[in-house]
Amino acid sequence: MATIVDQAREQMKKTVESTQENFAGIRTGRANPAFLNPIMVDYYGAPTPLKALATIGVPDARTLAVTPFDASQANVVEKAIRDSDLGVNPRRDGNVIHVTMPELTEERRKEYVKIARTKAEDGKIAVRNIRRKTKENIDAAIKDGDFGEDEGKRLLKDLEDATKKITDEIDTMLASKEKEILSV
């Protein structure tokens, strides 16, 4: 029944990956293609993620170059970027749309740090929920006699160790992201 802790550990690792993806979408002043992930483009009447319609390159530290696969959709892609709540103003050069990241103010950086902390806390809450559910399953298995008291205690200790390791990993990622956001 040690697999129950292994399953929980796998779910927790997926939570870490999800938290890392959430962090990637937070702007740091440097251009990052993940910054444009939330943008949806009205592609022939269907909302479609921008990354499915175009390649996103990083020609320099503060610029993203968006090249639509279908050149006829460049206007729609440009409009979607402009209308997004990301606070950027794209400019078009033929089929390539250039998105320049404006300098971040100190106030805006602090806002982004708060957002990062919230996303980290959401990740830790998800990990704790996985721990709680797994603990309930272990307790039920002990009660049903599927395995003994000692085995149950060992599994619970393994579960606590895994939870601590994953939450520490999220804290480390948060510290790194905060440093990245606050560096000018």
Side-chain angles (χ1 to χ4, degrees):
M1 196 71 175
T3 58
I4 194 167
V5 175
D6 293 338
Q7 288 172 344
R9 197 173 284 126
E10 284 303 310
Q11 289 177 326
M12 289 176 185
K13 285 180 183 174
K14 287 179 184 171
T15 300
V16 169
E17 290 170 13
S18 173
T19 303
Q20 201 158 20
E21 286 175 20
N22 288 338
F23 280 172
I26 299 174
R27 229 176 93 209
T28 59
R30 286 187 279 290
N32 183 341
F35 177 64
L36 298 177
N37 280 353
I39 295 179
M40 298 299 273
V41 179
D42 186 24
Y43 185 65
Y44 295 112
T48 310
L50 174 64
K51 63 183 177 183
L53 298 175
T55 57
I56 303 170
V58 185
D60 65 58
R62 290 193 41 225
T63 307
L64 293 172
V66 180
T67 310
F69 300 130
D70 181 358
S72 67
Q73 294 298 307
N75 283 334
V76 178
V77 170
E78 182 182 13
K79 182 180 182 322
I81 294 170
R82 182 172 289 115
D83 293 347
S84 70
D85 60 352
L86 300 176
V88 293
N89 193 16
R91 70 184 186 339
R92 204 150 140 218
D93 182 16
N95 288 336
V96 180
I97 301 160
H98 296 281
V99 180
T100 304
M101 303 288 134
E103 281 293 324
L104 291 177
T105 63
E106 189 63 29
E107 182 180 307
R108 193 76 173 130
R109 288 179 192 278
K110 288 179 181 174
E111 262 181 59
Y112 283 142
V113 167
K114 284 181 187 174
I115 292 169
R117 286 181 180 158
T118 301
K119 292 187 183 301
E121 189 56 36
D122 290 346
K124 291 195 311 192
I125 288 170
V127 167
R128 289 192 293 264
N129 285 340
I130 293 166
R131 178 191 66 195
R132 181 181 42 78
K133 195 167 201 68
T134 305
K135 184 180 181 314
E136 288 170 0
N137 291 341
I138 291 171
D139 289 342
I142 292 171
K143 187 177 178 187
D144 294 345
D146 291 344
F147 43 81
E149 205 58 43
D150 291 343
E151 177 72 6
K153 285 182 181 178
R154 188 186 61 73
L155 288 174
L156 289 173
K157 184 184 180 324
D158 289 351
L159 179 63
E160 288 304 316
D161 291 345
T163 303
K164 172 110 177 76
K165 182 180 174 202
I166 298 291
T167 55
D168 288 349
E169 188 176 336
I170 290 174
D171 286 338
T172 303
M173 287 172 22
L174 174 62
S176 171
K177 188 65 176 182
E178 282 182 2
K179 183 179 174 194
E180 184 182 339
I181 291 170
L182 294 173
S183 66
V184 178

